[in-house]
Amino acid sequence: MGEHPSPGPAVAACAEAERIEELEPEAEEGLPAAPEDHWKVLFDQCDPGNTGYISTGKFRSLLESHSSKLDPHKREVLLALADSHADGQICYQDFVNLMSNKRSNSFRQAILQGNRRLSSKALLEEKGLSLSQRLIRHVAYETLPREIDRKWYYDSYTCCPPPWFMITVTLLEVAFFLYNGVSLGQFVLQVTHPRYLKNSLVYHPQLRAQAWRYLTYIFMHAGIEHLGLNVVLQLLVGVPLEMVHGATRIGLVYVAGVVAGSLAVSVADMTAPVVGSSGGVYALVSAHLANIVMNWSGMKCQFKLLRMAVALICMSMEFGRAVWLRFHPSAYPPCPHPSFVAHLGGVAVGITLGVVVLRNYEQRLQDQSLWWIFVAMYTVFVLFAIFWNIFAYTLLDLKLPPPP
């Protein structure tokens, strides 16, 4: 699925040029890694007058002499960057940065100048693609706002590993739902069955000391209507996002939304249980929609308004169902039906932490100041909710209904 025809120089150069992370020379090219004194020797050979500068023409000649050792795509990038120097000269530090692929400010500036010449052809103009290649191109345009990132993703995606996280979570949720449906003899509105909330996976405020429940409640859905909407959103939004951003980033947003959902219920709806994966699903969907809105002009996905409308309608239907169910007469009073506050916790995670994760494609999150700000905010919220769970119920003298 990940095999592509050899991309043109423009595609490869644009993709390579925008990468922020420092690449390992051994993985990127055949030219072996070397200390700076090695580059100094090469530079001095082209600068006999010891001026500290060499012409772009000499730099091109040096690249041509090493062309057999350089990856063709890397060579095209370096040639384009050499041409981008308006004064026709390259200083020693720029030379080292170009040859070693260090992402200095001067290197980034040269990249931006080179891209203006190399990014004229859009990925959508590529012809003769197979079905799998068109799918990958479609995913790139659905999730990435910049053409340079779309080209890089298209050239580098190999489907190894596949989007295993979202698929695994979805299969587990369906499996648990089918098991409960058979054991309870009920598939629609399972939550109204007298034995439903007795399951050890459901989160109950009364059982908040059992820490696994803060996560495992995602495997319990209120009924097939609840599961169906979550699975549709999970697969249509979560799988493409994982194909682009990877299981680690998407799993982080999803799990953060799940934990925020159960903790938000503990703080804002202290008597109600929680079921369903809506916290994680809403974190992903809200992050994706916010990313589209923030990068509206750059997003080239077809039917943007229609897709957003469909996603918002599905979310509204699912949230409306949750609100109705919360205030529906319980099958086992005084314990109420599950809370809807977990949805709001997921949205909060999506439009903060999730937006940063999706915005910084192929960039290290630990280098982003905004990332650390939202991580700190999320950590403060989690710590606050933990202390709230430990002390608030006693201090408020809250009388919780017994679990079913």
Side-chain angles (χ1 to χ4, degrees):
M1 180 176 178
E3 297 181 0
H4 304 295
S6 295
V11 173
C14 286
E16 181 71 26
E18 273 294 294
R19 295 188 69 189
I20 301 300
E21 299 173 82
E22 181 175 340
L23 302 177
E24 293 293 336
E26 295 84 356
E28 182 64 23
E29 58 186 46
L31 193 65
E36 287 200 6
D37 57 354
H38 174 76
W39 302 130
K40 182 64 175 174
V41 171
L42 291 177
F43 188 88
D44 289 342
Q45 291 175 359
C46 300
D47 181 30
N50 198 28
T51 63
Y53 291 87
I54 62 173
S55 67
T56 54
K58 289 182 178 180
F59 180 69
R60 290 178 64 89
S61 298
L62 186 60
L63 287 178
E64 294 294 343
S65 66
H66 287 82
S67 61
S68 61
K69 300 177 182 179
L70 283 171
D71 181 274
H73 297 168
K74 176 67 176 295
R75 182 167 55 85
E76 293 289 346
V77 172
L78 295 179
L79 290 174
L81 296 181
D83 291 341
S84 70
H85 283 247
D87 57 1
Q89 290 185 318
I90 298 176
C91 70
Y92 171 67
Q93 190 57 53
D94 283 348
F95 174 82
V96 172
N97 292 340
L98 293 174
M99 296 302 291
S100 62
N101 230 19
K102 291 181 179 179
R103 263 45 178 173
S104 66
N105 289 333
S106 60
F107 184 79
R108 293 192 187 100
Q109 185 61 35
I111 284 171
L112 293 175
Q113 294 174 1
N115 282 343
R116 295 191 184 100
R117 302 177 53 199
L118 293 174
S119 60
S120 59
K121 185 178 181 181
L123 181 59
L124 277 178
E125 297 176 11
E126 298 286 343
K127 305 297 183 182
L129 302 181
S130 66
L131 180 62
S132 62
Q133 291 167 347
R134 287 198 298 271
L135 173 63
I136 295 170
R137 181 175 65 180
H138 174 75
V139 169
Y141 274 91
E142 291 292 311
T143 56
L144 295 172
R146 297 190 302 171
E147 183 70 19
I148 200 71
D149 286 336
R150 292 191 283 260
K151 289 178 177 179
W152 169 250
Y153 168 73
Y154 176 83
D155 281 344
S156 61
Y157 183 70
T158 61
C159 197
C160 185
W164 61 268
F165 177 80
M166 293 309 308
I167 293 176
T168 301
V169 169
T170 300
L171 290 176
L172 286 174
E173 290 171 2
V174 172
F176 275 97
F177 174 78
L178 293 176
Y179 172 79
N180 289 324
V182 172
S183 63
L184 299 176
Q186 184 171 337
F187 287 90
V188 178
L189 280 179
Q190 288 183 352
V191 73
T192 61
H193 194 282
R195 289 195 291 117
Y196 178 84
L197 290 185
K198 294 181 183 293
N199 195 290
S200 61
L201 302 180
V202 177
Y203 173 77
H204 290 280
Q206 306 92 321
L207 304 174
R208 57 191 180 278
Q210 299 176 0
W212 71 84
R213 293 178 181 265
Y214 291 94
L215 284 172
T216 58
Y217 74 91
I218 68 171
F219 300 117
M220 299 293 294
H221 285 79
I224 193 170
E225 67 289 343
H226 186 199
L227 175 73
L229 288 171
N230 278 343
V231 165
V232 167
L233 290 172
Q234 225 164 243
L235 295 179
L236 291 182
V237 177
V239 170
L241 288 179
E242 186 178 346
M243 289 174 63
V244 172
H245 297 282
T248 301
R249 293 191 180 205
I250 298 307
L252 172 66
V253 176
Y254 188 87
V255 172
V258 170
V259 174
S262 53
L263 291 177
V265 172
S266 291
V267 173
D269 196 4
M270 301 167 67
T271 63
V274 188
V275 297
S277 58
S278 297
V281 173
Y282 275 49
L284 291 178
V285 176
S286 58
H288 179 53
L289 294 181
N291 192 47
I292 291 177
V293 172
M294 292 170 62
N295 301 281
W296 187 260
S297 60
M299 298 298 294
K300 302 300 182 183
C301 51
Q302 294 180 323
F303 310 113
K304 285 186 291 190
L305 284 174
L306 178 61
R307 293 178 67 253
M308 289 188 64
V310 170
L312 290 174
I313 289 173
C314 289
M315 293 173 69
S316 299
M317 290 175 58
E318 207 278 320
F319 183 71
R321 180 212 57 81
V323 174
W324 169 82
L325 185 62
R326 171 64 178 87
F327 298 105
H328 187 270
S330 176
Y332 22 73
C335 183
H337 279 314
S339 176
F340 58 85
V341 176
H343 300 68
L344 304 180
V347 170
V349 169
I351 61 178
T352 54
L353 202 64
V355 167
V356 176
V357 170
L358 300 192
R359 190 179 67 182
N360 293 296
Y361 170 72
E362 280 298 315
Q363 295 182 28
R364 293 180 296 184
L365 292 173
Q366 59 266 34
D367 294 337
Q368 309 298 316
S369 57
L370 193 59
W371 157 256
W372 287 110
I373 292 174
F374 285 132
V375 167
M377 291 172 58
Y378 183 80
T379 303
V380 169
F381 165 72
V382 170
L383 293 175
F384 168 78
I386 290 174
F387 280 100
W388 181 275
N389 277 344
I390 295 174
F391 301 109
Y393 288 81
T394 302
L395 294 176
L396 296 176
D397 195 25
L398 186 65
K399 304 301 182 182
L400 293 177

